[in-house]
Structure formats: C-alpha cells, structure tokens
Amino acid sequence: MRRTVLGIVPPILVEAPKRAIKFSANDGYKRLYKDKFELQESRLLNVLTGVSAGMTEALIVASPDLVKIRLQDKRNAGKYLNTTDCVQKIFREEGIMGFTKGLEATLWRHALWNGGYFGSIGVIRSTLPKPTDKQSELINNFVAGTIGGTIGTILNTPFDVVKTRVQNQVAAPFKYNWAVPALGTIMREEGGRALYKGFVPKVLRLGPGGGILLVVYEVVTGYMRKYLM
C-alpha cells in the first residue's frame, strides 16, 4: 500500500497536462494535415492525428512514468524516500539521459492508444442512434469514448508491459532495450499471454476513462465556443 501511495505524485502532476495535450494536439494535427496536405475528414485522418497526438503526449509523460515505476517497484523498497529523492538519485546514478529510458516504448504505447481511440470514436458514433437532445448526445459520447478507450487499450497493452520492464532496469547489461525486440523476447520466454499482464484492471480504468474524457472534452469545448469565442 505504501509503495502505491509513494508513486502517486508523478502521475497526479502530469495528469491534467497529459489530458489537455491529448485533445489539443489531436485537433492541432487535424488542422495541420488538412491545411498542409489537403487531407479530407476520414477514418485514416483520425488515426493519423491520433497517432501524432499520442507521440506528442508521450514526450510529456515518459519521465514522470519512469519515476512512478521506480517508486512503486517492490525491488526498490527503502531506496527512495519520496518523489524528489527518486528524481535526485536517478539523475546522480544514471545522468540526465536516465530520464529518457523507455521513451521509445512510451511513444509506441501512446501512439497506439490514441490512434485506436481517435480512429474509432467517429465510426462508433455513426453506428449509435442519432441523439435527440443533449443528454442522449452525452450518452453517445460516453459509449463511443468507452469503446474507443477499450480498443486503444487492447492495442497498446503489450507496449505498456515492455515500457515497464525497460524502465525498471537499472544496472547494465540491460535485457530489454528497443520495444519490438523486447516483445519478441517476452513472447519467446513467457508466451503471448505475458504481454497482457494487468490488462483487466487497465481496461476497466481506461475504457470508461476514455468515455469520461470525451464527454468532458465535448462539454468544455462546447461551453468555450458558446461563451468565450
């Protein structure tokens, strides 16, 4: 229990910026690709902007994720007093580049989740009954976001497993380096099921979380368009 609480500060600090970047970057890339490359609204464009937004998001969250994982790893029990102490020791022992460990796997993780999420919610919305009022529109957004979040989680969980293993490594030689070869190593040694360790609690969090995200985004942007623009 103490290890879980100990590692809660980094994700809390980065949570709000991460969510803001997810949607703002997606909207920004969509405008960019439409203006510069004359791409039309399509499922492919939604996947492309989602992947691009996910990679942007990954640059922000990779280092806080590293600190969180080090704090929560039971093998580090007693090594770190708190978040500040963990950051200082990583810098002292591994240098500034130590905070980039697992960045490539984090890029894969967020690119796949966002690509699956933004690429699917439009399709899911189109299959749902046409909303007749604000409440039914919110319900549709929640359903679409939840299914989209579930799809994203199915796609990215193997790279989440790899990212955790890469970031948990401290002393060389490192068993896991690049994400795709690490996937092969895990499958060869432990089987394909090992790539989905922790999937159930993760999808229970990120599935409905994707629905809540979409609802909040639509409500906030609707309010801003109505009263601030």
Side-chain angles (χ1 to χ4, degrees):
M1 178 68 179
R2 183 178 180 275
R3 302 221 60 77
T4 303
V5 174
L6 190 60
I8 203 171
V9 174
I12 286 177
L13 291 176
V14 80
E15 191 65 22
K18 179 173 73 172
R19 301 309 180 191
I21 289 169
K22 181 188 297 292
F23 283 95
S24 61
N26 183 70
D27 289 345
Y29 283 118
K30 183 168 289 190
R31 290 192 297 270
L32 174 67
Y33 294 149
K34 283 182 175 180
D35 293 344
K36 298 297 182 182
F37 304 107
E38 298 183 351
L39 297 179
Q40 301 301 313
E41 189 70 39
S42 66
R43 188 186 310 175
L44 177 61
L45 176 62
N46 291 334
V47 171
L48 180 60
T49 58
V51 168
S52 302
M55 296 179 74
T56 303
E57 181 184 17
L59 297 174
I60 304 299
V61 305
S63 296
D65 262 7
L66 171 71
V67 175
K68 178 195 73 173
I69 286 169
R70 294 289 180 86
L71 285 167
Q72 293 182 343
D73 188 351
K74 62 182 179 181
R75 292 172 296 181
N76 294 330
K79 182 175 181 179
Y80 306 117
L81 300 175
N82 50 44
T83 300
T84 302
D85 184 57
C86 181
V87 170
Q88 291 173 342
K89 287 179 178 174
I90 292 173
F91 179 74
R92 186 165 61 247
E93 295 170 5
E94 303 172 52
I96 191 66
M97 295 305 294
F99 293 101
T100 67
K101 187 172 290 182
L103 174 60
E104 183 239 1
T106 306
L107 289 168
W108 278 102
R109 182 183 75 159
H110 286 266
L112 288 170
W113 196 92
N114 284 273
Y117 180 72
F118 287 109
S120 63
I121 54 178
V123 177
I124 297 164
R125 275 170 167 164
S126 68
T127 65
L128 295 172
K130 188 176 179 64
T132 56
D133 52 30
K134 193 64 178 177
Q135 183 178 0
S136 59
E137 182 182 350
L138 292 176
I139 292 173
N140 279 10
N141 284 335
F142 179 76
V143 171
T146 298
I147 297 174
T150 301
I151 291 171
T153 305
I154 292 170
L155 293 173
N156 89 333
T157 295
F159 287 96
D160 191 28
V161 172
V162 167
K163 180 196 74 70
T164 299
R165 297 202 182 188
V166 170
Q167 291 183 327
N168 263 335
Q169 299 175 124
V170 178
F174 299 131
K175 183 176 183 178
Y176 307 108
N177 291 297
W178 300 104
V180 174
L183 287 176
T185 299
I186 294 171
M187 287 190 66
R188 186 171 61 253
E189 295 181 352
E190 304 172 47
R193 292 183 64 179
L195 295 174
Y196 279 87
K197 287 182 177 178
F199 173 74
V200 173
K202 183 179 178 185
V203 78
L204 289 175
R205 174 172 59 91
L206 293 178
I212 293 169
L213 273 175
L214 187 58
V215 169
V216 171
Y217 172 75
E218 293 293 344
V219 169
V220 171
T221 54
Y223 178 88
M224 292 176 65
R225 283 193 295 267
K226 184 175 182 179
Y227 295 106
L228 302 178
M229 295 181 181

